[in-house]
Amino acid sequence: MIRICSTEDVPKGTVVSADVDGTRLAVVHAEDDRFYAVYDECSHAAVALSEGEVDGCTLECWLHGSRFDLRTGEPTGLPATEPVPVYPVEVRDGEIYVSMTPSNGVTR
């Protein structure tokens, strides 16, 4: 597990972008009060998901409006049809840690 940032750096309903050894992550504090990490690029277009909007447990791509389930990486709306990698997150002592092995088996 790699430390990304403090939980205070990611207020509820927001996203931060992080780079871990060349892999870009979007770290999200979802409306269910949990933290999620997904690959920071829409599977439809090479656009940073970290610039999108959080809605419940989804992250919306700002360019074409595709939404991705933060728990599974699956798109919940077109035009995206391919999932994005989802990375396991642990919160310890107010710090966010991410495993760089995708939990949904999707590679970028």
Side-chain angles (χ1 to χ4, degrees):
M1 297 292 257
I2 297 169
R3 182 194 174 279
I4 302 298
C5 61
S6 167
T7 56
E8 293 178 1
D9 295 334
V10 194
K12 193 174 193 175
T14 67
V15 186
V16 297
S17 182
D19 186 301
V20 178
D21 296 327
T23 299
R24 294 182 330 226
L25 301 177
V27 179
V28 182
H29 189 173
E31 292 173 13
D32 67 357
D33 212 25
R34 296 186 63 194
F35 293 88
Y36 298 92
V38 298
Y39 185 61
D40 193 11
E41 185 175 284
C42 180
S43 63
H44 170 254
V47 174
L49 289 175
S50 59
E51 296 175 13
E53 296 291 320
V54 178
D55 182 18
C57 284
T58 65
L59 183 57
E60 181 180 18
C61 176
W62 63 269
L63 185 60
H64 296 118
S66 291
R67 291 178 188 271
F68 295 90
D69 187 307
L70 294 167
R71 298 162 291 198
T72 65
E74 292 292 329
T76 61
L78 295 173
T81 58
E82 297 295 320
V84 294
V86 173
Y87 302 91
V89 174
E90 284 185 19
V91 176
R92 294 186 232 140
D93 299 322
E95 302 293 319
I96 299 170
Y97 293 83
V98 175
S99 168
M100 295 309 295
T101 302
S103 60
N104 63 346
V106 176
T107 57
R108 55 183 181 115

